[in-house]
Amino acid sequence: MRHLRRLILGSARVSRVLVPCVLVVFLVAITLAWWLPLPHELQKSPSGTLRLLDCRGREIAELASPEARTQFPVALEQMGPWLPRVTVMLEDRRFYQHPGVDWRATLAASARNLRSRHIVSGASTITQQLVKLANSRDRRSWGGKLYEAIVAWKLERRWSKQRILSEYLNRSSYGNRRLGPEAAARAYFGKPARDLTLSEAIFLAGLPQAPTRFNPWRHPQEANRKYARSLGRLADLGVITRDQQSLLVEPPKIVRNDPPRFAPHFVDAIVTRNPGLRGTVRTTLDIDLQATVERLVRSHLSALNRHDITQAAVVVVDNATGAIRAMVGSENYAVSQINGATQPRSCGSTLKPFVYLEAIDKRLFTAASLLPDTPDAIRNEYADYDPQNYSHHYFGPVRLREALGCSLNVPAVFVLSQLGARPTFYQLQKWGFNFPQGLDDYGAGFVLGNAETRLVDLAAAYAGLARGGTAMRAKFLASEHQPLTRIASAEATAIITDILRDNDARQKSFGLRSPLAFEERVAAKTGTSSGFRDTWTVGFDKEHTVAVWAGNFDGRPMRDTFAVRATTPLWATIMQELLRRDHPLDPPVEDEKFATANPSSGGLVRRDICKTTGLLPSRFSAATTNELFLAGTEPRDDSADYFANDGKLILPDAYARWCASRDNTIGAHVRADFRITSPPPNAHYQIDAVLPASQQMVELSAACGSDVEWFVNGGRVAPQRDGRFFWQLAAGEWNVRAVSREKFAEQKIVVESMSN
C-alpha cells in the first residue's frame, strides 16, 4: 500500500508538471499556426505546361517550363475513379479522419527515429507532403517536420479534403519531370488520367515515393517491383481482393509517349510574343494545312535544285479573321531555326498596290490614267534617284492598270511623287507594315523595295485588300482580339484587286502563261529586291491570303532569279491546293444608276475606253477595253486629240526623249516642232575644279526627231553605246546644233571656269 501511495503521489506530481507543459506546447502551436502564412506556392494554382492546340483542338506542342517537362493540372474527378483512392490508401490511409497530422503514425515514427537517432520515417500525411512540395524542401529535419505539421493543421481548416488531395496529386512528381497524374498518364500510357485502369492507377500511385529510382523508362524492373509491393499492400488493407491481386499481378505495359511538336517556327513565334503564356491554349493554326505547306516547300526547293536558293518561307492567313492557318519559317527547322516569316527582308515591289490604291482612293488617278514609263519621268521630283525596270526597257505611256500589272518601277515612283513620299509612307504603316527604319533612311525607293518588311505582315496587309480595304494584324491565338480599321474605300480596293487578278494587264512583263495565270479570279503580286536577294509572291482568293518568300538567310544573291521563278510556282501550288475548298474572288459590284445619281459616293462604274490612251474611244482607237472607275472619275473626253490624222500617237513634250529612243516601238511622237530640249536655251554652266571631268557632262536631246546628229561649234558628237549623246563641258561660248533629216535646231550656251 505504501508503494502504491508513493506511485500515485509521484504520478500526480508528474501530471502537475506535464499538463502545463503540454498546454504551453499546444498554445505555442496554435499561435504559430495563426501566425505562419500558407506557402506562397499554395496561394496560386499550378500554372501548368503550355500546351498549344490548333484551331480544331488538336495538339501542336507541349512546351517545357523550368518546373516540369509537362504538367497538366486537372480536377479530382478527371483523374479517374482509381488513382485518388489508391494514392490515399498507399500514402495516408487515415487521410479523411485526421486534422492534417496523423498523431498515431507520428508517434510510431518518432519512436523509430529516436531508436535510430536520425529521421528514418516521416509519417507525413498527404497534407504535410503538399506543404513540403509547395516549399520545395528536400532535406529532412525536426524543424521542417514541425513547420509542415503546423501549416498542414492550418491548411486543413481552410481547404476541403478534396482540394488538398487534388493539389497534392497535381504537384507530385511521377518521374521524367512529369508532374501530376495527367502528365504521367499521357507519358507512360498514352491516355488521359480519367481513362486509367486499376493496374495503371496502382502503378502510377507508387512512383511519387521515389520518382528517380522508380523511373519506368530507365529502371523498369524497380518500377515493377514497386508495383508488386503496392499491389500486396492494397490487398492487405482490403482495398482489393486476393483474386484481384492475382489478376493484376502482371504490371501494365509502359509506353514512351513524347509530346508532339508541329509547326516549330509558329510555336517559337507564339512563345516570343507571349513569354508568360501557360496552360492549354488554342491557336489559329490548321495542322492539316500546315503539313501540306511544309511538304510543298520541301518539294519546291528540291525541284529548284539550286545552291543559290536555299530557303523559303510561307504564311497563310484567313482573310475574314486575320488568323494564321499555316506558317513555315525555313526548309528544315532542325537545320535552321531562323524564321523567315518573321524576319524583315527587302520587300521588292510588293508595296506598289497600296500606293496605287491610295492614288485611286484620293481620285488623283484612275486605273485608266496614262503614267510615264520613261527614264526622265521623275527627274524633276527626285533628281538624285534613277529607278529602272528590271527589263531595262521603258514602255512610254502606260495605263495604271498595266503599270501595276507589269510591276513597272518608274510609274510607281511617279505616282508616289504626286502623293508625297512622307504621307504615303505613314499610310503604309497603317496597313501594319513595321519598317525597321524611317523614311529618311529609305528615300523614295521604299516603294520599290528599299524598305524591309516581314512576310507575316505582308500577308496580313494583303488580307486587308481581300477584306475590301480594312487593316488587321495577323492573329496567332484564337483568343486574340486585333482591331479592324478601314484604311481605304471598298470601291477603290475592288479596283486594285481587279488589277491584281488581271492576267492581261501583266502580259508585257510575265506573258500569258506564267504561274500567276489562273482560270479563277485570284489576285497576285510578285516582288524582287535589288541584287536578287529576296523574292516574293503574295495573293489571295476569297478565303485565304498566301505569302511566299525565297532567298538565303545570309543575304547571298540568287543569280538574276526573279520572283516568278523562285516563289510564284510554290505560291501557285499552295493556292491551287486551297482552291479545292475555297472560292474565287467575287467580281466587282457596279451600280450604274446609283453611281450616276451619286457621283461622289464612291460607287463603281464601267466604261469602254481606248486601250492606248485610257480615254473614251474615238475613230482612231485601234483597240478598246472595259475599265472600272470610281463614280465621277470616269473619262469625259475621247482620245482624238492624242492622234494625228494618219493615226500615229501624239504625246506631250514630257515623252520627247522616249519618243526618240529605241524603246519607242509604237511610232509615237510629240506634238511640238523639232527643237533642242537639253541643254535648255541660253544655259550657263560652271566647271568645278574639284569634280572629275566624267561628272561634268551635259546630255544632248531633242524633241520630235529621229536619227538626230549633234554638232558643237561644228564638231560632231559621237553617240554612246546606248544611243544617248553627252558632251564634255569646256570653258567658252558654244553653238549646239541638232540635225534630223531635213530639220535642224540650234542654240547658244556659255561655260565658265570656277576657281578653287
Side-chain angles (χ1 to χ4, degrees), residues 289-492:
L289 181 59
Q290 175 72 21
T292 298
V293 173
E294 288 178 356
R295 173 177 54 81
L296 293 177
V297 168
R298 291 191 296 268
S299 177
H300 173 69
L301 290 175
S302 177
L304 285 176
N305 192 27
R306 292 179 53 159
H307 295 293
D308 60 339
I309 304 177
T310 60
Q311 293 294 346
V314 178
V315 174
V316 180
V317 171
D318 181 87
N319 294 334
T321 64
I324 297 173
R325 296 304 187 204
M327 174 184 282
V328 177
S330 70
E331 186 269 342
N332 188 335
Y333 182 83
V335 175
S336 175
Q337 288 79 52
I338 296 175
N339 189 347
T342 58
Q343 293 295 309
R345 307 286 299 200
S346 178
C347 61
S349 298
T350 56
L351 301 181
K352 289 176 182 175
F354 301 94
V355 176
Y356 287 117
L357 172 58
E358 181 75 358
I360 290 176
D361 212 17
K362 287 188 172 181
R363 296 172 173 253
L364 296 177
F365 296 94
T366 72
S369 296
L370 275 189
L371 303 177
D373 183 33
T374 64
D376 52 354
I378 62 167
R379 286 184 180 168
N380 289 337
E381 186 71 25
Y382 303 113
D384 58 346
Y385 186 46
D386 187 24
Q388 297 182 358
N389 295 323
Y390 280 110
S391 64
H392 300 292
H393 294 292
Y394 298 90
F395 294 97
V398 292
R399 287 177 289 117
L400 185 149
R401 177 176 287 268
E402 292 180 296
L404 175 54
C406 294
S407 197
L408 303 178
N409 286 340
V410 175
V413 179
F414 176 79
V415 170
L416 179 69
S417 71
Q418 305 304 301
L419 285 168
R422 195 165 299 278
T424 304
F425 187 77
Y426 293 148
Q427 187 74 2
L428 286 170
Q429 291 176 322
K430 294 179 182 178
W431 284 101
F433 294 106
N434 294 318
F435 302 115
Q437 302 180 68
L439 176 63
D440 294 337
D441 299 297
Y442 297 126
F446 75 84
V447 72
L448 304 183
N450 287 1
E452 303 91 355
T453 191
R454 305 189 310 163
L455 189 67
V456 64
D457 295 335
L458 186 69
Y462 272 78
L465 296 180
R467 284 190 300 270
T470 56
M472 179 168 55
R473 295 190 180 277
K475 291 171 53 175
F476 288 76
L477 304 179
S479 60
E480 280 185 62
H481 173 71
Q482 295 290 355
L484 188 68
T485 307
R486 177 157 295 283
I487 307 297
S489 70
E491 292 78 13

Side-chain angles (χ1 to χ4, degrees), residues 582-610:
D582 282 5
H583 300 85
L585 295 170
D586 295 329
V589 177
E590 313 106 50
D591 190 338
E592 184 77 21
K593 293 181 179 179
F594 175 78
T596 301
N598 303 276
S600 62
S601 65
L604 290 176
V605 297
R606 282 192 179 274
R607 291 289 184 270
D608 287 331
I609 61 169
C610 171

